[in-house]
Amino acid sequence: MTTHTETTTTVEYAPERPARLEWAKHAPEVYKAMVRLETAARKGLDHTLYELVKIRASQINHCAFCIDMHTKDALAAGESVERIVQLSAWDESRHFYTEKEIAALELTEAVTVLTDGFVPDEVYERAAKHFEEAELAQVIAAITVINAWNRFGVTCRMTPGHYEPGQYK
C-alpha cells in the first residue's frame, strides 16, 4: 500500500496490483523483436511528435504503464505539462498543438480505434498533407508499435509508477 504524507495528514492509496505476467521474461525473443521494431519505427520522427502519439494511443487503450512511461519521457525531453495534460482532450484544445501534431493525433485515434471502421480518407489525406510519404510511413509504424505495446501492457497488467525516464533506451 502506498501512503503519502502531507504536512499534517497521511493519505492511504489503494494497494498496487501486481502484474499478471512478466511476458518479456517468458517470451524474450518476442520482446527483443518488439524493441527492434520500436527502434525502427522511431527513426526520423520528431521526438515530441513521437511521444504525443504514444501517450495519446496509450490513453485510448487505457494502458497505464505506457502512459506513465511516455509521459515521463516527454517531460524529461522538455515537453510542457500543459500540453500533456490537454492531450486527452486535444480536439477541444487544438491551440496547444501544431497542425502537423493535430494531423498525427487524428491519425493516431483512427488507427487505434479500428472498431469504428476503417481509417477515414479525410483523416489520412490531412496527415498526408503534413508528412512526406516516408515520414508518414514512420508515423503509422509508431502508432502501430505503441498499440502492440499497449496490448502487452494491458493484458499482462503491467504496473505503472516505477518507470524512470530513459530506462529502456
Side-chain angles (χ1 to χ4, degrees), residues 90-164:
W90 69 266
D91 200 28
E92 294 296 320
S93 52
R94 290 172 168 253
H95 59 285
F96 286 95
Y97 307 99
T98 67
E99 290 299 319
K100 189 173 185 175
E101 290 168 341
I102 289 168
L105 293 171
E106 275 184 317
L107 187 61
T108 299
E109 291 194 3
V111 171
T112 300
V113 189
L114 288 176
T115 54
D116 289 350
F118 295 103
V119 174
D121 289 339
E122 59 274 7
V123 170
Y124 184 86
E125 289 164 9
R126 219 171 355 264
K129 279 190 219 172
H130 291 282
F131 297 94
E132 297 292 326
E133 284 187 342
E135 188 180 22
L136 181 57
Q138 291 299 123
V139 170
I140 293 167
I143 295 166
T144 302
V145 172
I146 189 57
N147 274 280
W149 283 120
N150 288 166
R151 268 68 181 166
F152 287 116
V154 170
T155 303
C156 297
R157 195 185 286 145
M158 294 174 68
T159 308
H162 304 286
Y163 178 78
E164 296 293 327

Side-chain angles (χ1 to χ4, degrees), residues 23 28-40 144-150 152:
W23 75 270
E29 292 306 311
V30 175
Y31 177 77
K32 289 175 194 171
M34 284 294 298
V35 170
R36 287 190 305 274
L37 188 57
E38 174 77 30
T39 300
T144 302
V145 172
I146 189 57
N147 274 280
W149 283 120
N150 288 166
F152 287 116

Side-chain angles (χ1 to χ4, degrees), residues 76-92:
E79 182 57 81
S80 74
V81 171
E82 192 169 45
R83 281 172 34 104
I84 292 172
V85 168
Q86 291 300 319
L87 196 53
S88 65
W90 69 266
D91 200 28
E92 294 296 320

